[in-house]
Amino acid sequence: MQDARVGALLGLPPTELMREMRVLLSNGRQYGGADAGVALAGEIWWARPLVWVAKIPGMLNWLRLGYRAVAERRSCVAANCRRVVS
């Protein structure tokens, strides 16, 4: 994500790139945060149960809340990585 082409490809400013995990699928759809995790789970056979769990009413909202809670508290070890605070 440090590559400038990623921001251009996703149409996001640099400050948004480090805010959450982003996934761009081959069909052009892009997802962020917990939605990105669920989208990735749909592409990996052994992770598909997460997709099923996300379909339970209200569960995707809980996954999003959990993702945000972890993302707000994570730190980055890489020298060129800065935490974005909203």
Side-chain angles (χ1 to χ4, degrees), residues 1-76:
M1 292 212 290
Q2 289 79 14
D3 189 320
R5 296 174 292 180
V6 173
L9 180 64
L10 296 176
L12 296 170
T15 55
E16 287 296 313
L17 289 175
M18 297 305 289
R19 189 171 304 251
E20 64 183 6
M21 170 177 64
R22 305 293 302 182
V23 171
L24 177 63
L25 297 179
S26 59
N27 64 8
R29 296 180 87 174
Q30 68 172 278
Y31 300 91
D35 297 282
V38 173
L40 281 176
E43 301 293 320
I44 304 168
W45 71 268
W46 52 264
R48 286 204 183 113
L50 178 61
V51 177
W52 306 333
V53 168
K55 289 183 180 182
I56 297 171
M59 188 57 72
L60 188 54
N61 288 333
W62 282 107
L63 291 172
R64 289 173 180 152
L65 253 171
Y67 182 90
R68 272 187 246 126
V70 171
E72 288 171 358
R73 290 164 181 81
R74 72 174 172 243
S75 61
C76 194

